Amino acid sequence: MAAGRRSAPQFIFFVVALLLINHHHTEVLGKTEKNQVSSKLSGIIIPGFASTQLRAWSVLDCPYSPLDFNPLDSVWLDTTKVLSAVNCWLKCMMLDPYNQTDHPECKSRPDSGLSAITELDPGYITGPLSSVWKDWVRWCIEFGIEANAIVAAPYDWRLSPSVLEERDLYFHKLKLIFETTLKLRGSPSLVFAHSLGNNVFRYFLEWLKLEIAPKHYVQWLDNHIYAYFAVGSPLLGATEAVKATFSGVLFGLPIAEGTSRLLYNSFGSTLWFMPFSKHCKADDVFWKNFVEGKGNSNHSHTCDEREFTSNYSGWPTDIVNIEIPFKGVNSYPSIEDISGITSNMECGRPVLLSFSAREVSDGTLFKAIKDYDPDSKRLLYQLQKYYQGDPVLNPLTPWDRPPIKNIFCIYGIDLKTEVGYYFAPSGKPYPDNWMISDIIYEYEGSLFSRSGNSVNGNPGAASGDETVSYNSLSWCKTWLGPKVNITRAPQSEHDGSDVQIELNVEHENDKDIVPNMTRASRVKYITYYEDAESRPGRKTAVWELDKANHRNIVRMQVLMRELWLQMWHDIHPNMQSSFVTKAVRGPLRDVDCYWDYGKARCSWPEHCEYRYVFGDVHLGQSCRLRNSSTDLLQHYL
């Protein structure tokens, strides 16, 4: 998490855009600027996995515990009840893996409004740890952002996409949110999605095709969505989902890994994160039915030749390597079940099977171990019903660029990220029957294992953000056109001396772009890939932030600053380029001014001055923007 010098929140760049649009930040824009920039864009937030508060919708008496569950009690994330009544808590959290219904004794539903995404577990100790959007909302209130300009779109993140619509009419409600904000504010909205929220938004765009006449689809998007910010999007899935499926993820909760695995695998959303091949696609069933009149609801899943002539399905290495007992030919999975899998078979010894991303997403993995793991049957059922058989979209297929005017794909790079696992039988009963014997990591363009063993694979030009691998995050580079402008600049405020620019860089379709640029030691950069030419009237940008963590990227001050400048630039009537210049980054708020002890003055003296205000407790707090700095932003046009 980016740490600030002051108590002012440094949370979400999305709000910075809203702040600009509503023009209540008097320390940044003078009256002239506020009069020039007049817009009423709204902000719609689609949170990520486990980032929406769930509340009880039942009365559940918990024996041996002083705490019961009553209607509207918080369920996720209530650590007090997890510690004192874990069995009751599980009843309120777990779903039936086959039909995604609630436990007979307890049901939970997502909260609504901003309260659903601000602080999941309020309290002096747990509050700061579970605070997602609380500081951001406080910041909006302090600077006068209108309440109707900020709209949260919380959802039950346990459900598969089709059940989200079937049970909660979520996508109908989301469509109404866009239409209501357009009528209320008079202009299209900004969409901010983080992590799983991007998967949800993708499904919404496909679902929308069935609700709107084809000739009006793009027009509806243009009218209702001005820009889409995809942050930390697992565009090809995430290997961490595999680890959660086999051994569980703790979410920071004081529960056993086996309990976590039981919980996680009961969710229909479990497979929404699963890694899949970039070479395999599925046809659009509804369009096929519309044109050809066919009633088959199964997707035709096809892979091009590259899937079978190259290794690892476009990933750095095999996703899963798993030992299963070998007791003879009859006990070994059939050739039909594990077609294309290589193994190292020795009589009387465990068989090591390796699975690529395609073999994870098409169910081959679960078929191969169905005799050794009871969860395989349930997961295979979910995969076939809720993903491969989804009538709107098979989410486990690559995503093409959405037909939205402005798209900004933003993610962190060059952190140690898990990209493959070795599993072996633990000798314990289910759900602890698997243990992780080794982990494969990617880090700054190389692969290595936890055990120190050599790793075969194809590492990318960089590594991921600690949760999602680089190849999955950077898939949105395929949305860029054949000519791309690349700029690399320091994340901190700078005078432009360390900015590198490459114009009209050749970009081959379906390939990564690796800039020929240098890196100074101990400097964190942000690299911009920008294309405003290949699609007339539409812009695509990819921002890579060095060392930005997946879960904390939305809290980074540098991201807040960049989105604020880009939105200010886009809606200014005098803008002179498609994207805001990166030539220099100076202070924009009082918090950006600090005391330079070496020179015994405030930093950036042309923009900052020493101005004491009652309550300041140190020199840095008294460094503030000069009152005459109303034209500070003019050079960003």
Side-chain angles (χ1 to χ4, degrees):
M1 181 186 302
R5 173 176 63 79
R6 299 166 65 94
S7 61
Q10 302 174 6
F11 194 61
I12 177 67
F13 61 82
F14 187 53
V15 174
V16 182
L18 292 177
L19 178 62
L20 169 67
I21 292 164
N22 288 273
H23 320 301
H24 292 287
H25 200 325
T26 58
E27 293 177 350
V28 178
L29 294 178
K31 293 182 179 180
T32 303
E33 294 298 320
K34 290 196 291 182
N35 292 334
Q36 288 178 344
V37 184
S38 56
S39 179
K40 298 180 180 179
L41 295 177
S42 299
I44 298 176
I45 309 164
I46 307 178
F49 185 76
S51 296
T52 294
Q53 174 64 271
L54 301 179
R55 296 194 177 275
W57 202 247
S58 302
V59 177
L60 178 61
D61 181 20
C62 300
Y64 313 112
S65 172
L67 300 177
D68 298 328
F69 282 89
N70 296 302
L72 301 183
D73 282 355
S74 63
V75 177
W76 180 267
L77 182 67
D78 193 326
T79 54
T80 302
K81 290 184 176 178
V82 173
L83 288 169
S84 63
V86 65
N87 290 332
C88 286
W89 178 78
L90 286 172
K91 289 179 181 179
C92 294
M93 282 295 301
M94 293 181 67
L95 301 174
D96 185 285
Y98 290 99
N99 55 28
Q100 294 297 281
T101 56
D102 301 285
H103 191 278
E105 299 181 34
C106 185
K107 66 172 63 175
S108 298
R109 291 294 180 268
D111 202 353
S112 59
L114 290 173
S115 63
I117 63 172
T118 50
E119 195 172 58
L120 301 181
D121 189 15
Y124 287 108
I125 298 177
T126 58
L129 300 176
S130 66
S131 179
V132 184
W133 308 102
K134 181 179 179 180
D135 290 341
W136 174 64
V137 172
R138 181 189 302 166
W139 192 49
C140 293
I141 295 172
E142 287 177 357
F143 288 96
I145 299 296
E146 295 183 27
N148 59 16
I150 310 165
V151 183
Y155 58 95
D156 193 334
W157 40 269
R158 302 172 299 168
L159 300 178
S160 63
S162 60
V163 180
L164 264 178
E165 176 61 22
E166 179 184 339
R167 195 195 74 179
D168 297 342
L169 292 179
Y170 177 78
F171 298 108
H172 270 95
K173 294 176 182 178
L174 188 56
K175 179 174 179 286
L176 287 175
I177 288 175
F178 281 105
E179 293 171 346
T180 303
T181 53
L182 176 62
K183 290 182 179 179
L184 185 65
R185 309 288 297 172
S187 294
S189 300
L190 307 173
V191 177
F192 172 74
H194 178 243
S195 193
L196 182 65
N198 292 282
N199 299 35
V200 173
F201 184 63
R202 176 195 182 185
Y203 192 91
F204 168 73
L205 294 178
E206 293 298 319
W207 172 88
L208 196 63
K209 292 179 181 178
L210 310 177
E211 297 294 313
I212 299 175
K215 64 179 181 180
H216 296 148
Y217 175 68
V218 175
Q219 180 183 351
W220 189 97
L221 294 180
D222 289 345
N223 291 339
H224 293 83
I225 303 175
Y226 175 75
Y228 165 44
F229 304 108
V231 180
S233 181
L235 296 171
L236 297 178
T239 54
E240 194 172 79
V242 176
K243 180 174 72 172
T245 299
F246 279 87
S247 62
V249 288
L250 300 181
F251 304 106
L253 293 172
I255 58 177
E257 288 188 348
T259 302
S260 172
R261 184 189 180 198
L262 287 173
L263 178 69
Y264 187 82
N265 287 350
S266 74
F267 301 158
S269 60
T270 297
L271 300 170
W272 215 344
F273 278 114
M274 281 294 178
F276 52 87
S277 172
K278 70 176 186 178
H279 303 307
C280 300
K281 295 187 176 182
D283 60 358
D284 192 320
V285 171
F286 270 93
W287 286 113
K288 183 177 180 180
N289 293 344
F290 179 78
V291 175
E292 302 179 12
K294 296 183 179 180
N296 182 14
S297 61
N298 291 322
H299 290 274
S300 175
H301 193 261
T302 58
C303 302
D304 62 36
E305 184 181 353
R306 291 173 295 175
E307 172 64 28
F308 306 102
T309 57
S310 59
N311 294 325
Y312 316 123
S313 300
W315 285 70
T317 187
D318 285 326
I319 306 297
V320 179
N321 302 274
I322 189 168
E323 290 184 7
I324 63 172
F326 179 69
K327 301 177 182 178
V329 176
N330 293 333
S331 70
Y332 192 70
S334 66
I335 297 300
E336 290 78 8
D337 287 342
I338 59 168
S339 175
I341 299 176
T342 60
S343 63
N344 218 351
M345 298 177 58
E346 293 185 27
C347 183
R349 301 186 63 182
V351 179
L352 180 65
L353 300 180
S354 298
F355 298 86
S356 66
R358 172 181 60 84
E359 292 158 339
V360 171
S361 62
D362 68 7
T364 303
L365 166 63
F366 304 122
K367 292 177 183 178
I369 63 172
K370 63 183 179 182
D371 294 332
Y372 309 100
D373 191 277
D375 264 348
S376 294
K377 181 180 177 181
R378 293 187 283 267
L379 292 170
L380 192 59
Y381 176 87
Q382 292 179 2
L383 177 65
Q384 294 171 343
K385 179 178 180 179
Y386 298 120
Y387 294 90
Q388 295 174 351
D390 189 293
V392 175
L393 167 75
N394 181 356
L396 304 182
T397 52
W399 188 7
D400 295 328
R401 185 194 187 280
I404 296 174
K405 287 181 180 178
N406 305 299
I407 294 181
F408 297 85
C409 184
I410 305 162
Y411 53 88
I413 61 170
D414 281 345
L415 292 173
K416 187 173 74 170
T417 307
E418 298 172 0
V419 294
Y421 303 97
Y422 282 80
F423 295 99
S426 66
K428 299 178 181 179
Y430 171 85
D432 299 305
N433 53 314
W434 299 109
M435 66 176 182
I436 300 177
S437 57
D438 204 358
I439 301 176
I440 301 173
Y441 300 95
E442 64 174 2
Y443 182 62
E444 296 184 346
S446 63
L447 297 175
F448 64 95
S449 67
R450 183 178 65 180
S451 65
N453 294 331
S454 61
V455 177
N456 294 323
N458 298 319
S463 55
D465 62 3
E466 255 183 22
T467 299
V468 183
S469 60
Y470 173 76
N471 68 301
S472 183
L473 293 166
S474 64
W475 176 253
C476 53
K477 285 185 179 179
T478 63
W479 301 350
L480 298 166
K483 298 288 185 181
V484 180
N485 296 333
I486 305 176
T487 304
R488 176 171 288 169
Q491 293 182 14
S492 59
E493 287 81 9
H494 60 85
D495 59 5
S497 59
D498 192 16
V499 174
Q500 305 170 67
I501 300 175
E502 291 184 3
L503 300 178
N504 296 320
V505 177
E506 300 256 347
H507 173 224
E508 187 178 350
N509 186 35
D510 199 20
K511 299 292 184 181
D512 192 10
I513 311 175
V514 182
N516 184 23
M517 296 177 175
T518 60
R519 290 180 180 272
S521 61
R522 299 183 180 181
V523 176
K524 293 181 181 179
Y525 292 95
I526 177 170
T527 307
Y528 311 81
Y529 305 80
E530 298 171 334
D531 170 27
E533 304 296 333
S534 61
R535 295 177 175 86
R538 303 188 183 275
K539 297 188 297 188
T540 308
V542 177
W543 297 357
E544 293 181 343
L545 280 74
D546 291 353
K547 309 298 182 179
N549 176 272
H550 178 82
R551 293 176 174 86
N552 294 327
I553 186 172
V554 293
R555 305 170 188 259
M556 295 181 63
Q557 184 179 6
V558 60
L559 203 50
M560 181 176 67
R561 179 195 71 199
E562 292 304 311
L563 259 294
W564 183 63
L565 286 175
Q566 184 63 55
M567 287 298 97
W568 180 86
H569 168 274
D570 281 2
I571 63 179
H572 199 287
N574 298 327
M575 70 172 183
Q576 302 173 4
S577 59
S578 298
F579 296 95
V580 64
T581 179
K582 317 301 186 300
V584 65
R585 287 292 181 267
L588 301 176
R589 301 180 298 161
D590 285 345
V591 72
D592 299 326
C593 297
Y594 57 91
W595 185 260
D596 188 336
Y597 286 91
K599 297 180 180 179
R601 68 183 186 188
C602 291
S603 62
W604 298 92
E606 65 273 25
H607 300 303
C608 302
E609 64 180 359
Y610 182 84
R611 192 166 71 250
Y612 175 80
V613 174
F614 180 76
D616 292 346
V617 296
H618 57 78
L619 291 171
Q621 263 187 313
S622 299
C623 289
R624 291 179 168 84
L625 288 177
R626 293 181 179 273
N627 292 327
S628 59
S629 297
T630 56
D631 60 345
L632 186 62
L633 299 177
Q634 290 299 319
H635 65 277
Y636 290 115
L637 296 176

